[in-house]
Amino acid sequence: MDTKVLSSGIRYSNLPESYVRPESERPRLSEVSQCDNVPVIDLGCDDRSHIVQQVALACINYGFFQVINHGVSKEAVERMLQVAHDFFGLPVEEKMKLYSDDPSKTMRLSTSFNVKKEKVHNWRDYLRLHCYPLHKYVPEWPSNPPSFKQIVSDYCVQVRELGYRLHELISESLGLEKDYIKKVLGEQGQHMAVNYYPPCPEPELTYGLPGHTDPNALTILLQDLQVAGLQVLKDGKWLAVNPQPNAFVINIGDQLQALSNGTYKSVWHRAIVNTDMPRMSVASFLCPYDHALISPAKPLTQHGCGAVYRDFTYAEYYSKFWGRNLDQEHCLELFKN
């Protein structure tokens, strides 16, 4: 493979060797069933206590849920997906100006996950952006397509508002004050990964992304409506989560698992690929500020159940996470008491 990115316009007839997983690590697509009862929470419901109860059940039993009537405009979503398609459709020479395999860069086009560290690559290209505060980061974003900065800025503002609403609901669902999570996480960072999964000649041999949990607090995922690819681990089995119109998938991240003292589980999820169609997704990550001290909420460590995790800063966690392979054991295991 001469080019560093997959979105080069080349259609591969065979999967390059560097993408082939050992037999024991392959996705076994024929064994995956549909997740038929994905929790779908209507944020437009007038009964707040009902929403809070639904959030609690979803976070305990699944570690993720979908939201509808979420307040992010349909236009913002459609424009975001369109500009993402337009970006990955640019000539490869244009895109490669933004390429980097340095995870510390705040704006970069890259491929796979952590090219320098991993043994086997993943069938994905992605554009990684820092999104908060906007005035600091927008100037370094792509200026092609010309509408990119405006469209993505609008989308980021609306998604951040949704994230704050969800933090309040999750706090309340744990029996905490509604601003508890917001206070602990501090001035939150916001990152985005615009993921592009090209058609793959042998999808049963590789992943778009292997099974992993998210290192941040909360992930708000916009799925491609045309092409499924997200799978979650539930009761030891991988289940396919089909996209739902006008919905976001909300993943509980590692920081909320720690903060909830393990009551809520950070969901293991993966992206699989297919032979026919490219797939897009847009993941927005809300992250604690670097020096936020993450520890189990005191009310959740009483009644004889002690703190499962030691205190740590988000910066400490994040550097551990990026220093490993994505599909190693859960990073949170390293912070257990």
PDB file of all heavy atoms in Angstrom, residues 231-255:
ATOM      1  N   GLN A 231     -21.634  -2.194  16.596  1.00  0.00           N
ATOM      2  CA  GLN A 231     -22.017  -3.361  17.405  1.00  0.00           C
ATOM      3  C   GLN A 231     -21.612  -3.118  18.851  1.00  0.00           C
ATOM      4  O   GLN A 231     -20.593  -2.475  19.115  1.00  0.00           O
ATOM      5  CB  GLN A 231     -21.341  -4.630  16.871  1.00  0.00           C
ATOM      6  CG  GLN A 231     -21.760  -4.951  15.444  1.00  0.00           C
ATOM      7  CD  GLN A 231     -21.171  -6.242  14.907  1.00  0.00           C
ATOM      8  OE1 GLN A 231     -20.262  -6.822  15.486  1.00  0.00           O
ATOM      9  NE2 GLN A 231     -21.699  -6.685  13.775  1.00  0.00           N
ATOM     10  N   VAL A 232     -22.427  -3.621  19.781  1.00  0.00           N
ATOM     11  CA  VAL A 232     -22.130  -3.464  21.209  1.00  0.00           C
ATOM     12  C   VAL A 232     -22.085  -4.836  21.877  1.00  0.00           C
ATOM     13  O   VAL A 232     -22.728  -5.786  21.414  1.00  0.00           O
ATOM     14  CB  VAL A 232     -23.173  -2.574  21.938  1.00  0.00           C
ATOM     15  CG1 VAL A 232     -23.195  -1.176  21.362  1.00  0.00           C
ATOM     16  CG2 VAL A 232     -24.557  -3.196  21.876  1.00  0.00           C
ATOM     17  N   LEU A 233     -21.338  -4.904  22.964  1.00  0.00           N
ATOM     18  CA  LEU A 233     -21.220  -6.153  23.715  1.00  0.00           C
ATOM     19  C   LEU A 233     -22.240  -6.145  24.853  1.00  0.00           C
ATOM     20  O   LEU A 233     -22.240  -5.246  25.690  1.00  0.00           O
ATOM     21  CB  LEU A 233     -19.804  -6.272  24.275  1.00  0.00           C
ATOM     22  CG  LEU A 233     -19.412  -7.626  24.869  1.00  0.00           C
ATOM     23  CD1 LEU A 233     -19.442  -8.725  23.808  1.00  0.00           C
ATOM     24  CD2 LEU A 233     -18.024  -7.548  25.502  1.00  0.00           C
ATOM     25  N   LYS A 234     -23.113  -7.134  24.845  1.00  0.00           N
ATOM     26  CA  LYS A 234     -24.143  -7.244  25.898  1.00  0.00           C
ATOM     27  C   LYS A 234     -24.209  -8.695  26.348  1.00  0.00           C
ATOM     28  O   LYS A 234     -24.418  -9.589  25.531  1.00  0.00           O
ATOM     29  CB  LYS A 234     -25.497  -6.779  25.328  1.00  0.00           C
ATOM     30  CG  LYS A 234     -26.696  -7.054  26.231  1.00  0.00           C
ATOM     31  CD  LYS A 234     -27.162  -5.799  26.933  1.00  0.00           C
ATOM     32  CE  LYS A 234     -28.477  -5.972  27.660  1.00  0.00           C
ATOM     33  NZ  LYS A 234     -28.464  -6.760  28.864  1.00  0.00           N
ATOM     34  N   ASP A 235     -23.989  -8.895  27.655  1.00  0.00           N
ATOM     35  CA  ASP A 235     -24.020 -10.257  28.221  1.00  0.00           C
ATOM     36  C   ASP A 235     -23.109 -11.208  27.447  1.00  0.00           C
ATOM     37  O   ASP A 235     -23.489 -12.351  27.129  1.00  0.00           O
ATOM     38  CB  ASP A 235     -25.459 -10.800  28.240  1.00  0.00           C
ATOM     39  CG  ASP A 235     -26.405  -9.880  29.008  1.00  0.00           C
ATOM     40  OD1 ASP A 235     -25.948  -9.266  29.994  1.00  0.00           O
ATOM     41  OD2 ASP A 235     -27.575  -9.750  28.620  1.00  0.00           O
ATOM     42  N   GLY A 236     -21.915 -10.707  27.104  1.00  0.00           N
ATOM     43  CA  GLY A 236     -20.916 -11.568  26.453  1.00  0.00           C
ATOM     44  C   GLY A 236     -21.137 -11.804  24.968  1.00  0.00           C
ATOM     45  O   GLY A 236     -20.384 -12.543  24.331  1.00  0.00           O
ATOM     46  N   LYS A 237     -22.180 -11.173  24.372  1.00  0.00           N
ATOM     47  CA  LYS A 237     -22.453 -11.371  22.939  1.00  0.00           C
ATOM     48  C   LYS A 237     -22.417 -10.034  22.206  1.00  0.00           C
ATOM     49  O   LYS A 237     -22.903  -9.024  22.724  1.00  0.00           O
ATOM     50  CB  LYS A 237     -23.842 -11.990  22.745  1.00  0.00           C
ATOM     51  CG  LYS A 237     -23.951 -13.427  23.218  1.00  0.00           C
ATOM     52  CD  LYS A 237     -25.195 -14.070  22.594  1.00  0.00           C
ATOM     53  CE  LYS A 237     -25.286 -15.557  22.893  1.00  0.00           C
ATOM     54  NZ  LYS A 237     -25.723 -15.833  24.265  1.00  0.00           N
ATOM     55  N   TRP A 238     -21.887 -10.061  20.986  1.00  0.00           N
ATOM     56  CA  TRP A 238     -21.893  -8.853  20.150  1.00  0.00           C
ATOM     57  C   TRP A 238     -23.238  -8.723  19.455  1.00  0.00           C
ATOM     58  O   TRP A 238     -23.735  -9.689  18.862  1.00  0.00           O
ATOM     59  CB  TRP A 238     -20.761  -8.899  19.121  1.00  0.00           C
ATOM     60  CG  TRP A 238     -19.425  -8.666  19.751  1.00  0.00           C
ATOM     61  CD1 TRP A 238     -18.480  -9.591  20.049  1.00  0.00           C
ATOM     62  CD2 TRP A 238     -18.914  -7.401  20.198  1.00  0.00           C
ATOM     63  NE1 TRP A 238     -17.397  -8.982  20.650  1.00  0.00           N
ATOM     64  CE2 TRP A 238     -17.635  -7.647  20.753  1.00  0.00           C
ATOM     65  CE3 TRP A 238     -19.408  -6.092  20.188  1.00  0.00           C
ATOM     66  CZ2 TRP A 238     -16.836  -6.625  21.291  1.00  0.00           C
ATOM     67  CZ3 TRP A 238     -18.617  -5.073  20.719  1.00  0.00           C
ATOM     68  CH2 TRP A 238     -17.351  -5.339  21.254  1.00  0.00           C
ATOM     69  N   LEU A 239     -23.820  -7.533  19.547  1.00  0.00           N
ATOM     70  CA  LEU A 239     -25.137  -7.261  18.953  1.00  0.00           C
ATOM     71  C   LEU A 239     -25.043  -6.057  18.022  1.00  0.00           C
ATOM     72  O   LEU A 239     -24.364  -5.074  18.335  1.00  0.00           O
ATOM     73  CB  LEU A 239     -26.160  -6.967  20.054  1.00  0.00           C
ATOM     74  CG  LEU A 239     -26.386  -8.071  21.095  1.00  0.00           C
ATOM     75  CD1 LEU A 239     -27.295  -7.548  22.203  1.00  0.00           C
ATOM     76  CD2 LEU A 239     -26.984  -9.318  20.456  1.00  0.00           C
ATOM     77  N   ALA A 240     -25.740  -6.124  16.892  1.00  0.00           N
ATOM     78  CA  ALA A 240     -25.735  -5.027  15.916  1.00  0.00           C
ATOM     79  C   ALA A 240     -26.767  -3.975  16.308  1.00  0.00           C
ATOM     80  O   ALA A 240     -27.911  -4.305  16.632  1.00  0.00           O
ATOM     81  CB  ALA A 240     -26.053  -5.576  14.532  1.00  0.00           C
ATOM     82  N   VAL A 241     -26.332  -2.709  16.304  1.00  0.00           N
ATOM     83  CA  VAL A 241     -27.235  -1.591  16.623  1.00  0.00           C
ATOM     84  C   VAL A 241     -27.534  -0.854  15.322  1.00  0.00           C
ATOM     85  O   VAL A 241     -26.688  -0.143  14.784  1.00  0.00           O
ATOM     86  CB  VAL A 241     -26.578  -0.626  17.639  1.00  0.00           C
ATOM     87  CG1 VAL A 241     -27.522   0.532  17.949  1.00  0.00           C
ATOM     88  CG2 VAL A 241     -26.205  -1.372  18.908  1.00  0.00           C
ATOM     89  N   ASN A 242     -28.747  -1.052  14.817  1.00  0.00           N
ATOM     90  CA  ASN A 242     -29.087  -0.416  13.539  1.00  0.00           C
ATOM     91  C   ASN A 242     -29.392   1.064  13.734  1.00  0.00           C
ATOM     92  O   ASN A 242     -29.966   1.449  14.753  1.00  0.00           O
ATOM     93  CB  ASN A 242     -30.280  -1.128  12.897  1.00  0.00           C
ATOM     94  CG  ASN A 242     -29.855  -2.473  12.333  1.00  0.00           C
ATOM     95  OD1 ASN A 242     -28.695  -2.670  11.984  1.00  0.00           O
ATOM     96  ND2 ASN A 242     -30.787  -3.407  12.278  1.00  0.00           N
ATOM     97  N   PRO A 243     -28.998   1.885  12.751  1.00  0.00           N
ATOM     98  CA  PRO A 243     -29.273   3.318  12.881  1.00  0.00           C
ATOM     99  C   PRO A 243     -30.765   3.606  12.889  1.00  0.00           C
ATOM    100  O   PRO A 243     -31.538   2.921  12.216  1.00  0.00           O
ATOM    101  CB  PRO A 243     -28.598   3.929  11.648  1.00  0.00           C
ATOM    102  CG  PRO A 243     -28.278   2.801  10.737  1.00  0.00           C
ATOM    103  CD  PRO A 243     -28.274   1.539  11.526  1.00  0.00           C
ATOM    104  N   GLN A 244     -31.140   4.591  13.665  1.00  0.00           N
ATOM    105  CA  GLN A 244     -32.546   4.996  13.756  1.00  0.00           C
ATOM    106  C   GLN A 244     -32.643   6.447  13.296  1.00  0.00           C
ATOM    107  O   GLN A 244     -31.824   7.280  13.695  1.00  0.00           O
ATOM    108  CB  GLN A 244     -33.006   4.866  15.214  1.00  0.00           C
ATOM    109  CG  GLN A 244     -34.390   5.444  15.430  1.00  0.00           C
ATOM    110  CD  GLN A 244     -35.084   4.876  16.649  1.00  0.00           C
ATOM    111  OE1 GLN A 244     -34.869   3.733  17.017  1.00  0.00           O
ATOM    112  NE2 GLN A 244     -35.924   5.677  17.273  1.00  0.00           N
ATOM    113  N   PRO A 245     -33.645   6.784  12.477  1.00  0.00           N
ATOM    114  CA  PRO A 245     -33.757   8.166  11.989  1.00  0.00           C
ATOM    115  C   PRO A 245     -33.868   9.167  13.144  1.00  0.00           C
ATOM    116  O   PRO A 245     -34.523   8.891  14.160  1.00  0.00           O
ATOM    117  CB  PRO A 245     -35.047   8.157  11.170  1.00  0.00           C
ATOM    118  CG  PRO A 245     -35.296   6.725  10.841  1.00  0.00           C
ATOM    119  CD  PRO A 245     -34.705   5.917  11.952  1.00  0.00           C
ATOM    120  N   ASN A 246     -33.217  10.309  12.973  1.00  0.00           N
ATOM    121  CA  ASN A 246     -33.313  11.437  13.916  1.00  0.00           C
ATOM    122  C   ASN A 246     -32.913  11.074  15.346  1.00  0.00           C
ATOM    123  O   ASN A 246     -33.451  11.626  16.307  1.00  0.00           O
ATOM    124  CB  ASN A 246     -34.733  12.024  13.924  1.00  0.00           C
ATOM    125  CG  ASN A 246     -35.200  12.374  12.527  1.00  0.00           C
ATOM    126  OD1 ASN A 246     -34.441  12.969  11.764  1.00  0.00           O
ATOM    127  ND2 ASN A 246     -36.406  11.977  12.166  1.00  0.00           N
ATOM    128  N   ALA A 247     -31.982  10.130  15.475  1.00  0.00           N
ATOM    129  CA  ALA A 247     -31.544   9.705  16.809  1.00  0.00           C
ATOM    130  C   ALA A 247     -30.021   9.806  16.917  1.00  0.00           C
ATOM    131  O   ALA A 247     -29.309   9.736  15.912  1.00  0.00           O
ATOM    132  CB  ALA A 247     -31.987   8.270  17.081  1.00  0.00           C
ATOM    133  N   PHE A 248     -29.547   9.972  18.136  1.00  0.00           N
ATOM    134  CA  PHE A 248     -28.122   9.827  18.444  1.00  0.00           C
ATOM    135  C   PHE A 248     -27.950   8.605  19.345  1.00  0.00           C
ATOM    136  O   PHE A 248     -28.828   8.307  20.171  1.00  0.00           O
ATOM    137  CB  PHE A 248     -27.597  11.041  19.222  1.00  0.00           C
ATOM    138  CG  PHE A 248     -27.405  12.274  18.392  1.00  0.00           C
ATOM    139  CD1 PHE A 248     -28.314  13.325  18.464  1.00  0.00           C
ATOM    140  CD2 PHE A 248     -26.310  12.398  17.554  1.00  0.00           C
ATOM    141  CE1 PHE A 248     -28.134  14.470  17.716  1.00  0.00           C
ATOM    142  CE2 PHE A 248     -26.121  13.556  16.795  1.00  0.00           C
ATOM    143  CZ  PHE A 248     -27.031  14.586  16.869  1.00  0.00           C
ATOM    144  N   VAL A 249     -26.826   7.923  19.178  1.00  0.00           N
ATOM    145  CA  VAL A 249     -26.441   6.881  20.127  1.00  0.00           C
ATOM    146  C   VAL A 249     -25.580   7.546  21.203  1.00  0.00           C
ATOM    147  O   VAL A 249     -24.639   8.281  20.885  1.00  0.00           O
ATOM    148  CB  VAL A 249     -25.633   5.759  19.435  1.00  0.00           C
ATOM    149  CG1 VAL A 249     -25.145   4.732  20.464  1.00  0.00           C
ATOM    150  CG2 VAL A 249     -26.477   5.075  18.368  1.00  0.00           C
ATOM    151  N   ILE A 250     -25.909   7.300  22.459  1.00  0.00           N
ATOM    152  CA  ILE A 250     -25.164   7.881  23.584  1.00  0.00           C
ATOM    153  C   ILE A 250     -24.404   6.762  24.296  1.00  0.00           C
ATOM    154  O   ILE A 250     -25.021   5.801  24.780  1.00  0.00           O
ATOM    155  CB  ILE A 250     -26.125   8.560  24.592  1.00  0.00           C
ATOM    156  CG1 ILE A 250     -27.091   9.528  23.875  1.00  0.00           C
ATOM    157  CG2 ILE A 250     -25.335   9.245  25.700  1.00  0.00           C
ATOM    158  CD1 ILE A 250     -26.433  10.660  23.114  1.00  0.00           C
ATOM    159  N   ASN A 251     -23.083   6.874  24.321  1.00  0.00           N
ATOM    160  CA  ASN A 251     -22.257   5.875  25.007  1.00  0.00           C
ATOM    161  C   ASN A 251     -21.760   6.433  26.332  1.00  0.00           C
ATOM    162  O   ASN A 251     -21.218   7.545  26.380  1.00  0.00           O
ATOM    163  CB  ASN A 251     -21.009   5.530  24.183  1.00  0.00           C
ATOM    164  CG  ASN A 251     -21.325   4.705  22.963  1.00  0.00           C
ATOM    165  OD1 ASN A 251     -22.418   4.170  22.835  1.00  0.00           O
ATOM    166  ND2 ASN A 251     -20.368   4.597  22.055  1.00  0.00           N
ATOM    167  N   ILE A 252     -21.900   5.638  27.379  1.00  0.00           N
ATOM    168  CA  ILE A 252     -21.260   5.960  28.656  1.00  0.00           C
ATOM    169  C   ILE A 252     -19.761   5.668  28.498  1.00  0.00           C
ATOM    170  O   ILE A 252     -19.387   4.586  28.048  1.00  0.00           O
ATOM    171  CB  ILE A 252     -21.861   5.076  29.781  1.00  0.00           C
ATOM    172  CG1 ILE A 252     -23.343   5.391  29.962  1.00  0.00           C
ATOM    173  CG2 ILE A 252     -21.100   5.242  31.090  1.00  0.00           C
ATOM    174  CD1 ILE A 252     -23.655   6.784  30.405  1.00  0.00           C
ATOM    175  N   GLY A 253     -18.910   6.632  28.866  1.00  0.00           N
ATOM    176  CA  GLY A 253     -17.460   6.453  28.751  1.00  0.00           C
ATOM    177  C   GLY A 253     -16.838   6.052  30.085  1.00  0.00           C
ATOM    178  O   GLY A 253     -17.508   5.991  31.124  1.00  0.00           O
ATOM    179  N   ASP A 254     -15.541   5.789  30.046  1.00  0.00           N
ATOM    180  CA  ASP A 254     -14.818   5.295  31.225  1.00  0.00           C
ATOM    181  C   ASP A 254     -14.932   6.226  32.433  1.00  0.00           C
ATOM    182  O   ASP A 254     -14.994   5.771  33.577  1.00  0.00           O
ATOM    183  CB  ASP A 254     -13.332   5.104  30.888  1.00  0.00           C
ATOM    184  CG  ASP A 254     -13.101   3.994  29.863  1.00  0.00           C
ATOM    185  OD1 ASP A 254     -14.047   3.249  29.558  1.00  0.00           O
ATOM    186  OD2 ASP A 254     -11.961   3.883  29.369  1.00  0.00           O
ATOM    187  N   GLN A 255     -14.948   7.552  32.173  1.00  0.00           N
ATOM    188  CA  GLN A 255     -14.968   8.489  33.309  1.00  0.00           C
ATOM    189  C   GLN A 255     -16.281   8.400  34.092  1.00  0.00           C
ATOM    190  O   GLN A 255     -16.295   8.537  35.317  1.00  0.00           O
ATOM    191  CB  GLN A 255     -14.742   9.936  32.838  1.00  0.00           C
ATOM    192  CG  GLN A 255     -13.502  10.123  31.971  1.00  0.00           C
ATOM    193  CD  GLN A 255     -12.260   9.489  32.578  1.00  0.00           C
ATOM    194  OE1 GLN A 255     -11.915   9.769  33.721  1.00  0.00           O
ATOM    195  NE2 GLN A 255     -11.589   8.637  31.836  1.00  0.00           N
TER     196      GLN A 255
END
